[in-house]
Structures are given as structure tokens and as C-alpha cells.
Amino acid sequence: MICQFFILSSKGDHLIYKDFRGENSSDVVRVFYEKVTALPGDQPPVVMNHKDVYFVHVKQGGLFWVVTTNSASSPFTIIDFINKLCSLVKDYCGTLSERSVQLNFALIYELLDEVVDYGYIQTTSCDVLKNFIQTEAVSSRSFSLFDLSNVALFGAETQQSKVAPSSAATRPIHQREQSHTEIQRLCKFRVCVQGMLMKVDVEGEIRVKCYTPRCSEMRIGLNEEFSIGRSQLRGYGAGVRVDECSFHQNVKLDEFESNRILKLCPSQGEQTVMQYQLREELPCAAPFRLFPTVERDASGRLLMYLKLRCDLPPKILFVCLICPSLSQELSSPDQSAELKPQSRVVVWSIPKVNGGTQLSALFKVDVPGLCSSSLLEVAPVGLSFEVPKWTCSGLQVRFLRLSPVYSPAGERWVRYITHSDSYTIRI
Amino acid sequence: MPYLSGEDTVKELRRALSNPNVQSDPLRYRNTITKVIRAMSQGVDVSALFPEMVKACATVDIVQKKLVYVFLCSYASLNPDLSLLVINTLRKDCQDANPMVRSLALRNMTNLRLPGLVEYVEQPLSSGLRDRAACVRRVAVLGWAKLHNLQPETETDAAVVNELYSLLRDPDPIVMVNCLRALEEVLKEEGGVAINKAIAHHLLNRLKECDVWAQSDILRILERYCPQTEGELFDILSLLDSCLICVAPPVMAATLRLFLCLCSSLPAVCHSALERACGPLLTACGSSSREMRFSALAHIQVLLGAHYKRFFCGYAEPAFIKQRKMQVLVELVNDENVSMLLDELKGYCTDVNPETAQAAISAIGRIARSYSDKCLEILTGLLGLKQEHITSAVVQTLRDLVWACPQCSDIVCTTIEGCEQIIQDAQGRQALLWLLGAHGERVPSAPYALEGFIDGVRFEGSLCVKMELLSAALRLFLCRPAEMQDMLGRLLHYCIEEESDMCVRDHALLYYRLLHCGIEETRRFVQMRRSDPGLGVLIGRPQQSINSWAQSFNTMQPLCGATTTPDTSTRGSPEHTNFYPKTNLSKELRTCQVDSTPTEEDFFCLETLIQCSLIPVDSPYSLQAALQLVNIQTMAFTPTSAIPWKFYMYTHTQPECSTKTAHGTLILAELLYSNEAPDVDEKPRDEPALMGFLSILSTVLNTVALQCENSQQGKTQLS
């Protein structure tokens, strides 16, 4: 049960406040902000309580999305609801930011009114909501010349319109009429010094974003050699295997066994069709290998020589932990390295890495009171990266068909994204 | 836009709203109203515009209507008289041909929250229940719940309740679930909606039509249903099986909770349900939303050791998730994975965030209670880093470890030398001083370490450190008098002559007088226990049955409990209360509690008379040993000859056990062997725990008494 809902900016400005049950005073907003700011660090716990009021908050888009509730409510429901609401607001307003919320507050009030009544969640389905929501979204995107690139220039057909516009996902729902399937996965794994995999934890999902009206059935074809679990391997060659797999309730699986086709009647908006996990072993080679050397040089400085080899084209951010003051030599000019003294981290950021290349960096760090045990303090290297057009499980979407056939071909696309924020390499 | 103060804004807006030109142009009118709402959500008091907004309510533009209703519902309670004017418009809207307008009017009519308007609302609500459009019925059903809560003392019409029950058969699933929710509120006094076999089966059959939110609400309400036969129970369970492995965490958690409730008498079924739900729960632990991840981690109660790698922390994870994962990891330790786990935890000890590092170190300390060699090796290695916060946390962990397992003390004594240079914070120094005092005879450099502290006592800010320093110096003096005599003299002199704090001064005076009585007397007095193996049992997680936590599953409680730091029970010196002689202990403790929590209701006194054949006054140690078996710790007792003979003890319940309170319950008890007024302090109120305590205590007393051969009749008052 949801007693109140409010959105606060990170500075504590009230953006949206809605009291569903009239049981608590509006004072709770102030209480909540005081609680958040009183805590050290920028990571307040998800649930906080003040007398009988429980605050559950989710931080998205730099905003606090807060629900007050009572102790008997299910945290899963509340958190899931807030996340769902965030994605609804994002669907309707285009982006999630303080500015877009401020501009579209009327729309958000309307949305809240339809989604929740008297603290009970009524519906969060886009299909139902689109009949009720009347307010037009105000787009917060400022005019820019890049928008013109998709417009036919002087009447000539430009090639760019054939490419899936990356801005499509940030457009408000009313302006979109397309379907796109997005395979997105979270890839977490760690590697030991010798490059041996210690822990692999790949979590992937197929997420469908559908904004095509009158779409009665969608068919998604997966790799035919796709198999679940250890026992059932299909065919020879490079099979695609996952350990566990679960499907959305609306997915019909009658053709899944024979042809690996998922059938579903998509509702408007975003939904996760399939989730899968992969553990213990990785079907492909690790995308990055790091060859670190850490030693002390004669003048008592800490020398770190890092060589990074990659087989894929990712965007990468490189993190390593060590003490103050450094000099650096990097292998190419567009990289940058920065030392953050408070958190004692060297951040090596690389905008783009081409597959099959090798990068190196040498950091010399002056550490006050360096001794042999300080080498123990060098924490593991953490990589966070995003690789488009690649999935480490090898799962692919063979085709995506909508029936009745209606929308032109350019309006649906499939995206693969792999991203990781915890690819850890021990030194 | 020029900056306007609140009053100016209101004036400006009023002028615009009453401007006929604006009113005739729908777009401008709507924009002006939008401005009002914006001012409202920014915190400007725009209640003065109420009359203008009431006028704006009569329009055909639905967007404008919605905006005006947002305003009216916020300010209706301030203007009950003017709100009467709105009712007319709303009632007219309830007759509108457009179902959306009807539902909108009905919803806002009930959202005004004015008890005076109830009579006008009832009629449209009743007809709303029979409306053709589902969206109107949804609103009308919940409207009755709102109406009931406006006037909780008046009974809701039985006809309405019957109609709500019959609407459970409504073709629209949301209407059905709203009926459940409304009945739950309307019939709160009678214990909520009555679930009989027909309703339960009807709900179960229609579960598939509902969305995630409705499903979790239905599952929650079904907890009250008791299947009549075992066959029916298993039918229900197999029907719900697909929900148990559902992708959506809310449904999965609600189903699991329902399973645990239905099968509370069949532990085997519970266990297999937990095993089956383990997969989805672990998936939720790896969810992309960090809040969801945290919530799932807080609910993982039954774990399969094989999954321990799932709880290794990622570098970029927020501190609260890392700390929670470590708590889970500590409970997963077994012979096979201990080295892997320790290796991983070692990595976290050098985390950038000091709190995470401390949590990792104390996690290693807890594992050390069962695997001391490997852990001590790691902890010793961490001391070598000479980092301030790490050393402090390690010393505190070592102190707790020595207290719980005395066999580690030899290694610990060799490692703590030299730490006094590094530790800066009060808690760390307090822990170090305790270790030096308790095991000083085995630390060669202990007097020199203490000398540093004693020289700097003038600049010492922390009261606790001063107290600890006094006792450590005295204890060390008893075992190494030659090195300590001069230092102790200086310390006592400073504390008695110059110290401004009464507590420290009195303490020093006490020691000074005690030393006058002679060394033997002092030794007998400050003789202390250096370890407490019983504490290990108290702190460690007890094996709990499923029923003890099933009640709090899928509620806010596990998440809140997770935010408190573990091991707070041992943050002070372990044997604090045992050591300070206090003449009126219970009073002293009570003032302590009042300081921290000013409410009087946090504790609770009780007097009971226990009849038992004999109290073994002359053998307090046997009583102490017997009580320790049942986890009741002794704080102090009077000499055997004293009349009335008193015995102080305490125990605390684990937070997970007590369903009513989020914290554990601390029970302090005074046992009196005469006829004086006794009392028990308890915080907070927790009747079952107290009753359990009393019954255990009387059993122990009776058992001990039986063992004594003396058949003299004794009478005890217990508080």
C-alpha cells in the first residue's frame, strides 16, 4: 500500500507530491530529506523509517523517487512499482531528469492519478494508460543542429535515416511509432592474475519496447542451436548455452522447443520477455586481458605498468586504486588518466578501443611512507565498459516479425548491448 | 519570468484566472491553471485561489478538469464550505456519457476527504457500482473504502458490503481485486474480508488474468484461507507453482510467503518451496536495479552453500549492498569454501569506503570464531598496512575475538604491539587498552604502550578511553607492578586532582582507596573474566525454524534491520557491567536508557514471585553456570553473607525472533532473596520474550535448588 509519493531533486526541491490516503502529514517530505542528508556518504539505505512511516526510495535520473508506506507492505512490490513508474515517466516524457519532470509535472500528476488509487496500484500497462492520459508531453530537448541531420536536406534523400536513430529511445511516447527489441545484458565476471576466470556471472535479458499500435502478435526467433541447462546440447559446432532461463507470463512457448521461436502479444511499452543466467564458464574468450606489473623503483616510487589487450571494440573506463601524486605515460593521446586523492583511485579512461589492439599505461606514484606491505594495498583493477553489437553468450535474434504486417521495415530494430561495471582483475 | 514572492504570484494568478479574455480562450485558460498547479507543487500556498478554481472546474476540457481536481483535492479540507459548490459539478459529471469523465468525477468526489459531503457522495457511488464501464466500477469500489475511512465509526451499509462481495465475480480483474481491497478496509474490525472455499477458489482461478500488482495483493489476502483437506492444499500449491518461479519479484515473494503460511505445519513442503524459489530469488539478487538487489539480499534466509560466489561484491556496488552481502557470506562459510571466502573478504578490507572496510574486517572476525588460524593470519597481515582505520577496525575485531575464543589470545598478544602509534579514533584505542589490560602480562611492550597514553591523558577527549585507561593501568599494575607503579601513580594523581569529569574522578578515587586496602583485596576485586564463550552463542545466528521468520517475510522489516550495524552488542568493552561496582545497578542502567531514548515506554517493569524450594546462596557460581547454559549472563552478585542477597543478570533476544519489534529485547533482572521491592527493566515492551524469560528462570532456579541437598524452604522474589 502506498500512502504518499513524492519526487525530490537531489538538492531537496519538491517536484511532485501526491498524498493518496491522507493519513500522514506532508511533513514527511522534510523528514525524509533530513534523514537523507544526515547520513554520511551518498548512498543512503533504501528503506528508512520514522516512527510508523517507512520511506522507500529509488534514485533515478538524479532524483529521489520516494514512497511512504507501512511496515506490512511488500518491499518487492514497492520497489518494483517505483522502477516501473520511472520507466513510465521516461516513456512519456522522453528523458528522466529534473528538468523534464518540472516541465511535465501536469502529465506526471495525471499519470499518478491513473496508476494509483487510494494507495492501491491499479495498472501500469501502457495499453490501458494511453486511453486515459490526455496531456501532451513537453520535450525538454533543446533545439540542436544534430536534429536536422535526419531531415532530408534540400529535398535529397540522406542515408542517415536508414540507421536506427539513437535518439529514438529518448523521444516521448506520443511521438514514437515503432517497435524495437532490445537485447540488453549485464555482464559481470572476474579474472585472476594469470587470466584464469574465477567467477563468471552473466545476466542477460531480452527486452521488448513496443510502440506499434494494432500489433497482435510478435514472433522473435532465437538461434536454433540455443540450449538451456547442461544436459541438452543441440547439434555440433558452437552451441549457445545458458544455465537458467525464465520467460514472461505472456510469452507463448509452443514453438520454442522445435524452432526456438518466442510468440507474444506485446503490450505497449517496455517489458522483459526473457531473462537468462550463465555461470561458471564463459562460452567465448574473455573480452579483455590485462598484464599488470607493480613494483617499487629506486627512488621509492610505486611503478605500475599496465598493458591491456582487447578483442572487441568497447567503450571503457579503467579504475585502479592507489595513493597520491603521480606522473603518467599513456600510449595514445585521446586517453586520459586522473588521480582522485579522496578515494585514492587512478582512473584511466579510454574513449574507444579497437578490437585486437593493445594499450599500455605507466603510472608512477609517489606514496608517502612506501614499504613492501603497501603493494598489498593495491586493490584489484576494475573495468567498466560497454560493448555494442556483441553478446558474450552468443544469443542472437534471428528475426523479428510482427503481424499483421503493417509497419515499414525501418521502424523496428534489434540492439545488442553488453555492459559491465564489475569486471575485476586481481593484481 | 520575473521573480515573484508567494503573495504576488497568487495575486497575479487570480487576475489571470478571472480575466474574461483568458476564460474564453481554452488554451490560455488551461495554461494559467497549469501555472497554479506548478506554484502549488513548488510549495507556494495558493489556497486563496479556491473560488476561482471552483469556477474553472465547469469545463468540457478533460485536461483542464484533471488539473483543477488536483488542486481541489489538495485544498478541499481548508475550504469545506466552498467545496460544496464543486459537488454539483461533480454530480453532473457522474451522469456524463463519457465513462472517463464519470470515473474522474467519482474518484475526485471521494478524494476530497470531507466528512460533511458524504451524504452527497453515497448515491453516485452506489450507481457507480452498477455502471457499464469497468473503469467507473473500479473507482466506485475503492470509493466505498475511502468513505468508510472518513467516518470509521459508522457502519457501512450491509447492502453495500453484499454488493461488493457480489462484484468479486466481476469480469474485469481490476474491479475484482479492488473489491478485495475495499472489503479489507471496510471490514477491518471484523478481521477483513471473509475468505471461504468458494471465494478462495474463484480468486485462484482468476489469478492468471491479473497483472503483477493485483496478483501480489490477492496472494497476500489468500494467506488467511485454511484449506480444509490436505488434498485441497496440494491442489492449491500445484496451481500456484508457476507463480513461485515467476520472473516478477513481487509475485514470487508473495507466493513464497503464501506457501510458507499455508504449509506452516509441513516443514518438508516449506523446504522444497524454498529450494524452488531460490532460483528466482537469486535472479533478483542480480537484478539491474540496485534497490531490488538490496531487497532480495535482505530476504535471502535460506541459502545453498553452492551459491556463495553470487554474493561476492562488485567494485562499483554501493556500500549498503556490499555490507549486506558480507553478512550473507559470513553465514555461508563451511570447510570447503572458507579459503575462497576469506580470500575474497581480504580484498574488501582495503576498500576505499572505510565503513565497508570495517564491515569486511569484522566479518573476518566472525569467521575467525570457527576458523581462527587463517583469519588471524589475514588480520595480522592487515595490521602491517599501518592504515589508521584498518588498524582500528582490526584491533576492535581482535578484542571481540579474544572475548569469544580465548584460545586465540596468544597470537593476538604478539600482534598488537606497536598499534598504539597508528590508531586515532576512540573506539579503536578503547579496544586496544582493553586488550593491554586483560592480557598485558603476555605483551612485552604493554607498559610502554600505556605510558604513551598516560602521558597524553591531559589531551584525551574521550571519556570512554579515560575510563578504559584507568582500568587497564590498574590491571597491568597487578601483574607487572615494577614497571607500572610510577605510571599508575601519575595517572591516579592526574585523574583525582585535575580531571574535571566526575565519572573519571570517582573511578580513580575508587581505585585509589581500593589500593589502600591492599594488593590482595584489589586483585580479588578487579579479578575479571577474560573471555565469555557463552557470548559466542548469543551473537552467532541461531538456527531458526521457518515459522519464526515467515511472518516478517516480504515486509519492510528485513530491510530495516539490515541497516543497523552488526555486533553493536560488543562495541563497548565486553565485560563493562561486570567490572564496575555499582551500588544500585538497575537505577543506574535506567538513567542510561533514559538518556538515549527519552520515551518512558521503552522499558517496562514487572514483579514476580517465584516459589522455589531453596536458593543456593552459598554457591553463586553453580547458579551462574546453570544460567549461562540457558544464555542468561550474570552481571554481578552480592557476597554470600549479605542480606538481602541479590543477583543481577541480563539476556537479550535476537531481533529475528521477536515479531513485534525491530530491535532485540534486553531483559535486565534482579533476583532478591528477601522481601524487598524488585524490578525488571525491559526495552522495548515484548511480552512473550519476558514470559519466556521468567519461565526459564524459574525452571533453572528449581533445578539448581533440587540439586542442593539442603531442604530448607526458601522464598524468592524476582523482578
Side-chain angles (χ1 to χ4, degrees):
Chain A
M1 192 191 304
I2 297 161
C3 296
Q4 284 144 313
F5 171 82
F6 51 92
I7 304 180
L8 284 186
S9 77
S10 51
K11 295 193 290 295
D13 299 332
H14 303 199
L15 299 180
I16 298 284
Y17 169 80
K18 179 115 184 135
D19 189 351
F20 291 108
R21 294 182 64 91
E23 283 164 2
N24 308 319
S25 69
S26 60
D27 210 30
V28 292
V29 185
R30 189 183 49 78
V31 172
F32 172 79
Y33 191 67
E34 276 171 11
K35 271 184 172 294
V36 165
T37 44
L39 286 164
D42 57 343
Q43 291 163 341
V46 179
V47 176
M48 291 182 282
N49 67 327
H50 174 74
K51 292 178 190 153
D52 288 340
V53 183
Y54 286 76
F55 298 99
V56 183
H57 82 271
V58 167
K59 208 169 178 193
Q60 279 212 12
L63 305 168
F64 290 107
W65 303 67
V66 194
V67 161
T68 65
T69 180
N70 55 8
S71 69
S73 310
S74 155
F76 289 102
T77 310
I78 305 260
I79 291 173
D80 210 25
F81 166 71
I82 304 178
N83 285 333
K84 187 77 196 165
L85 189 71
C86 289
S87 69
L88 271 178
V89 170
K90 195 175 171 196
D91 273 350
Y92 273 95
C93 307
T95 50
L96 268 191
S97 66
E98 188 174 340
R99 194 173 150 67
S100 69
V101 169
Q102 260 172 354
L103 282 173
N104 291 300
F105 71 96
L107 176 70
I108 296 173
Y109 274 123
E110 196 181 351
L111 205 57
L112 278 173
D113 217 29
E114 298 296 341
V115 168
V116 183
D117 191 12
Y118 203 45
Y120 298 106
I121 305 164
Q122 300 292 304
T123 179
T124 50
S125 136
C126 265
D127 292 333
V128 182
L129 286 173
K130 72 175 180 216
N131 302 323
F132 292 96
I133 305 299
Q134 307 269 325
T135 316
E136 290 283 325
V138 186
S139 180
S140 65
R141 259 153 46 90
S142 54
F143 175 79
S144 100
L145 274 180
F146 291 110
D147 294 342
L148 291 179
S149 61
N150 284 339
V151 176
L153 202 60
F154 305 118
E157 192 72 22
T158 50
Q159 281 299 306
Q160 262 139 347
S161 56
K162 295 259 159 56
V163 183
S166 61
S167 62
T170 64
R171 242 185 286 155
I173 197 164
H174 286 288
Q175 297 165 25
R176 280 192 270 183
E177 199 177 86
Q178 86 242 341
S179 134
H180 87 244
T181 314
E182 191 174 306
I183 295 207
Q184 205 182 22
R185 72 206 49 228
L186 209 66
C187 169
K188 295 184 205 163
F189 42 103
R190 29 180 68 209
V191 192
C192 234
V193 183
Q194 294 85 8
M196 190 188 77
L197 288 178
M198 233 174 76
K199 172 202 171 198
V200 181
D201 203 348
V202 180
E203 269 146 27
E205 57 189 35
I206 298 183
R207 204 182 282 173
V208 173
K209 285 188 185 175
C210 174
Y211 303 102
T212 317
R214 301 190 302 277
C215 169
S216 63
E217 192 185 59
M218 179 186 276
R219 290 154 65 91
I220 304 172
L222 305 177
N223 312 29
E224 291 204 24
E225 61 272 28
F226 177 73
S227 65
I228 302 166
R230 216 159 279 276
S231 53
Q232 43 158 175
L233 269 178
R234 293 175 149 233
Y236 302 95
V240 178
R241 193 186 62 78
V242 298
D243 285 336
E244 279 166 48
C245 186
S246 52
F247 300 95
H248 190 268
Q249 283 172 323
N250 294 349
V251 179
K252 289 191 220 76
L253 295 171
D254 46 347
E255 280 186 69
F256 183 70
E257 272 308 308
S258 52
N259 296 323
R260 298 296 179 205
I261 292 172
L262 305 174
K263 284 200 291 189
L264 72 152
C265 312
S267 53
Q268 295 267 302
E270 190 179 307
Q271 62 199 130
T272 303
V273 172
M274 172 177 154
Q275 283 183 319
Y276 59 87
Q277 286 100 41
L278 193 58
R279 314 205 183 293
E280 306 305 333
E281 55 184 287
L282 205 61
C284 61
F288 296 100
R289 301 182 70 177
L290 185 85
F291 306 94
T293 330
V294 181
E295 57 191 23
R296 295 161 71 188
D297 70 354
S299 57
R301 284 192 298 187
L302 197 64
L303 271 184
M304 290 191 298
Y305 185 63
L306 304 168
K307 232 170 19 174
L308 182 78
R309 210 176 70 196
C310 114
D311 308 316
L312 304 152
K315 257 186 188 167
I316 158 167
L317 179 78
F318 187 85
V319 183
C320 168
L321 196 78
I322 198 65
C323 318
S325 139
L326 95 164
S327 64
Q328 60 193 47
E329 286 168 30
L330 302 170
S331 60
S332 85
D334 58 340
Q335 303 167 18
S336 65
E338 184 191 358
L339 181 108
K340 298 191 170 153
Q342 299 100 334
S343 49
R344 315 208 303 161
V345 169
V346 177
V347 180
W348 178 21
S349 29
I350 305 159
K352 195 177 174 195
V353 183
N354 288 322
T357 54
Q358 187 163 307
L359 301 169
S360 64
L362 176 68
F363 299 101
K364 291 180 187 164
V365 188
D366 280 327
V367 187
L370 183 79
C371 60
S372 57
S373 66
S374 299
L375 292 182
L376 283 177
E377 258 189 285
V378 180
V381 179
L383 277 80
S384 48
F385 56 85
E386 196 172 286
V387 192
K389 298 185 211 158
W390 181 71
T391 63
C392 58
S393 61
L395 183 69
Q396 304 225 315
V397 173
R398 275 188 297 146
F399 58 82
L400 169 66
R401 278 184 207 136
L402 301 176
S403 61
V405 183
Y406 138 79
S407 59
E411 289 193 348
R412 57 182 177 208
W413 56 84
V414 179
R415 241 181 233 181
Y416 301 97
I417 299 171
T418 294
H419 75 98
S420 163
D421 54 0
S422 48
Y423 188 106
T424 315
I425 299 169
R426 292 266 179 89
I427 289 186
Chain B
M1 195 177 117
Y3 179 79
L4 297 172
S5 71
E7 250 172 68
D8 294 338
T9 320
V10 172
K11 231 179 258 171
E12 190 85 354
L13 287 170
R14 173 175 297 139
R15 198 173 309 133
L17 280 175
S18 44
N19 183 347
N21 290 333
V22 173
Q23 285 179 357
S24 59
D25 180 355
L27 211 61
R28 276 177 74 191
Y29 205 20
R30 191 203 284 183
N31 281 343
T32 318
I33 288 165
T34 314
K35 276 183 201 148
V36 176
I37 311 289
R38 172 167 297 153
M40 185 185 92
S41 58
Q42 281 164 352
V44 180
D45 181 18
V46 284
S47 57
L49 295 173
F50 204 83
E52 283 79 15
M53 292 300 269
V54 170
K55 262 179 237 157
C57 172
T59 168
V60 286
D61 180 4
I62 291 185
V63 177
Q64 180 176 337
K65 241 187 222 303
K66 285 185 173 179
L67 287 171
V68 174
Y69 289 153
V70 168
F71 177 91
L72 293 180
C73 290
S74 311
Y75 289 113
S77 48
L78 299 176
N79 297 290
D81 301 336
L82 284 172
S83 305
L84 212 63
L85 299 174
V86 193
I87 282 291
N88 258 334
T89 322
L90 286 168
R91 285 185 65 138
K92 205 161 78 219
D93 278 356
C94 285
Q95 316 288 333
D96 198 281
N98 184 348
M100 201 174 17
V101 176
R102 291 203 298 273
S103 70
L104 189 67
L106 212 51
R107 177 163 59 224
N108 288 291
M109 204 183 270
T110 46
N111 276 351
L112 290 173
R113 296 195 196 117
L114 290 172
L117 299 183
V118 169
E119 48 182 318
Y120 304 100
V121 180
E122 273 177 348
Q123 192 270 322
L125 268 187
S126 302
S127 53
L129 287 180
R130 288 180 286 271
D131 201 284
R132 289 185 315 281
C135 64
V136 183
R137 291 199 303 272
R138 289 172 194 168
V139 172
V141 166
L142 276 185
W144 283 106
K146 297 179 199 171
L147 223 56
H148 175 79
N149 285 357
L150 268 183
Q151 303 173 305
E153 65 285 347
T154 53
E155 284 274 312
T156 305
D157 195 358
V160 172
V161 174
N162 281 339
E163 192 148 9
L164 287 177
Y165 270 116
S166 67
L167 274 175
L168 284 175
R169 311 247 164 225
D170 196 278
D172 184 71
I174 300 182
V175 174
M176 175 184 80
V177 73
N178 276 358
C179 272
L180 274 184
R181 292 157 171 166
L183 283 170
E184 195 72 3
E185 303 231 2
V186 171
L187 304 174
K188 207 182 275 162
E189 279 87 57
E190 302 162 30
V193 52
I195 301 283
N196 58 25
K197 190 172 172 177
I199 293 180
H201 286 216
H202 171 69
L203 291 176
L204 283 167
N205 287 330
R206 297 197 53 187
L207 205 57
K208 285 274 171 288
E209 300 167 31
C210 306
D211 63 354
V212 172
W213 322 111
Q215 281 184 359
S216 37
D217 274 3
I218 293 176
L219 291 167
R220 177 64 69 102
I221 286 171
L222 279 176
E223 278 163 29
R224 280 211 301 274
Y225 177 64
C226 312
Q228 276 124 13
T229 64
E230 199 149 280
E232 189 191 354
L233 172 69
F234 285 110
D235 282 347
I236 293 177
L237 296 188
S238 9
L239 195 66
L240 288 175
D241 188 65
S242 65
C243 295
L244 192 60
I245 47 170
C246 177
V247 184
V251 177
M252 180 272 299
T255 318
L256 184 55
R257 189 181 150 93
L258 177 63
F259 265 63
L260 297 178
C261 284
L262 289 180
C263 312
S264 51
S265 54
L266 303 164
V269 182
C270 283
H271 277 291
S272 52
L274 281 171
E275 237 161 77
R276 199 149 164 69
C278 207
L281 207 55
L282 283 170
T283 310
C285 284
S287 148
S288 55
S289 148
R290 50 157 80 155
E291 286 80 10
M292 185 57 84
R293 221 151 60 203
F294 177 70
S295 161
L297 278 172
H299 279 93
I300 287 237
Q301 307 264 5
V302 183
L303 302 147
L304 303 172
H307 294 296
Y308 67 97
K309 279 189 184 174
R310 305 288 295 272
F311 302 101
F312 286 175
C313 306
Y315 180 78
E317 277 178 323
F320 58 84
I321 289 191
K322 283 187 184 170
Q323 287 168 17
R324 187 73 209 177
K325 279 189 171 173
M326 283 185 239
Q327 288 177 26
V328 176
L329 281 176
V330 168
E331 288 171 18
L332 285 179
V333 171
N334 60 31
D335 288 341
E336 281 133 46
N337 61 21
V338 64
S339 55
M340 192 85 163
L341 272 181
L342 285 176
D343 206 33
E344 187 71 21
L345 283 173
K346 194 171 129 190
Y348 307 151
C349 290
T350 46
D351 197 277
V352 196
N353 182 340
E355 280 160 29
T356 309
Q358 269 164 14
I361 291 167
S362 86
I364 293 180
R366 292 183 60 150
I367 297 176
R369 286 175 195 174
S370 20
Y371 300 92
S372 53
D373 297 347
K374 288 172 189 151
C375 298
L376 279 172
E377 200 178 301
I378 294 176
L379 292 174
T380 315
L382 288 172
L383 284 179
L385 296 181
K386 305 214 182 298
Q387 281 285 324
E388 184 191 322
H389 68 273
I390 293 178
T391 311
S392 163
V394 170
V395 169
Q396 287 175 53
T397 306
L398 288 176
R399 188 239 353 242
D400 293 346
L401 181 63
V402 167
W403 180 244
C405 2
Q407 67 274 18
C408 305
S409 58
D410 284 332
I411 307 171
V412 170
C413 286
T414 55
T415 56
I416 57 170
E417 286 188 61
C419 290
E420 70 274 3
Q421 312 284 344
I422 300 160
I423 303 179
Q424 298 297 322
D425 66 319
Q427 279 181 339
R429 278 182 300 170
Q430 205 186 345
L432 180 66
L433 283 170
W434 186 85
L435 280 170
L436 288 175
H439 298 279
E441 74 275 13
R442 278 179 286 172
V443 185
S445 68
Y448 307 103
L450 276 188
E451 188 164 24
F453 279 104
I454 290 171
D455 290 343
V457 70
R458 205 172 293 273
F459 310 106
E460 179 57 60
S462 157
L463 175 68
C464 297
V465 173
K466 282 183 196 169
M467 300 283 269
E468 199 67 59
L469 180 60
L470 267 173
S471 32
L474 184 69
R475 285 179 202 174
L476 203 57
F477 169 70
L478 292 178
C479 53
R480 301 166 79 160
E483 292 155 292
M484 286 302 296
Q485 189 176 10
D486 178 52
M487 267 189 257
L488 183 65
R490 267 192 289 145
L491 181 64
L492 287 178
H493 182 266
Y494 167 79
C495 288
I496 293 168
E497 296 294 328
E498 294 178 49
E499 176 60 46
S500 57
D501 190 277
M502 282 309 279
C503 201
V504 178
R505 200 169 152 267
D506 280 359
H507 211 67
L509 269 175
L510 171 78
Y511 284 161
Y512 181 68
R513 287 175 192 143
L514 202 61
L515 286 167
H516 269 296
C517 302
I519 286 296
E520 274 317 303
E521 195 71 12
T522 315
R523 179 161 296 158
R524 205 170 58 77
F525 185 78
V526 296
Q527 191 89 57
M528 60 163 192
R529 286 183 305 149
R530 286 167 176 171
S531 68
D532 183 2
L535 208 61
V537 184
L538 264 180
I539 291 170
R541 182 197 177 93
Q543 278 296 317
Q544 294 174 330
S545 68
I546 292 172
N547 291 343
S548 61
W549 53 260
Q551 277 306 313
S552 64
F553 188 81
N554 199 11
T555 65
M556 293 292 162
Q557 271 175 32
L559 276 82
C560 277
T563 57
T564 56
T565 49
D567 271 4
T568 40
S569 52
T570 60
R571 273 295 161 240
S573 278
E575 87 297 23
H576 244 259
T577 39
N578 204 5
F579 180 66
Y580 298 127
K582 292 203 168 134
T583 45
N584 195 342
L585 195 62
S586 56
K587 203 166 264 175
E588 190 77 39
L589 283 170
R590 182 179 293 185
T591 46
C592 290
Q593 287 170 356
V594 171
D595 282 346
S596 55
T597 46
T599 47
E600 283 284 321
E601 288 168 3
D602 276 347
F603 57 85
F604 165 67
C605 290
L606 186 98
E607 270 181 43
T608 320
L609 195 76
I610 294 182
Q611 290 278 353
C612 88
S613 50
L614 170 90
I615 277 298
V617 174
D618 38 338
S619 59
Y621 295 101
S622 64
L623 182 63
Q624 187 183 351
L627 285 172
Q628 216 163 69
L629 280 178
V630 290
N631 274 343
I632 299 175
Q633 309 296 326
T634 314
M635 294 193 291
F637 44 83
T638 51
T640 48
S641 52
I643 292 286
W645 184 76
K646 295 179 187 175
F647 190 96
Y648 296 98
M649 64 203 118
Y650 77 96
T651 188
H652 48 94
T653 56
Q654 290 292 311
E656 290 92 345
C657 297
S658 62
T659 48
K660 284 186 198 165
T661 52
H663 316 285
T665 301
L666 181 69
I667 301 174
L668 298 170
E670 181 187 27
L671 188 69
L672 258 143
Y673 179 60
S674 89
N675 347 322
E676 272 183 45
D679 45 7
V680 162
D681 290 345
E682 203 207 7
K683 170 196 175 185
R685 195 175 290 239
D686 185 1
E687 298 272 356
L690 191 58
M691 289 305 143
F693 172 75
L694 284 177
S695 71
I696 288 174
L697 186 62
S698 51
T699 318
V700 170
L701 285 176
N702 280 314
T703 318
V704 174
L706 274 179
Q707 285 169 352
C708 278
E709 295 197 327
N710 198 331
S711 62
Q712 189 189 346
Q713 289 288 312
K715 188 179 167 193
T716 324
Q717 271 188 335
L718 165 84
S719 58

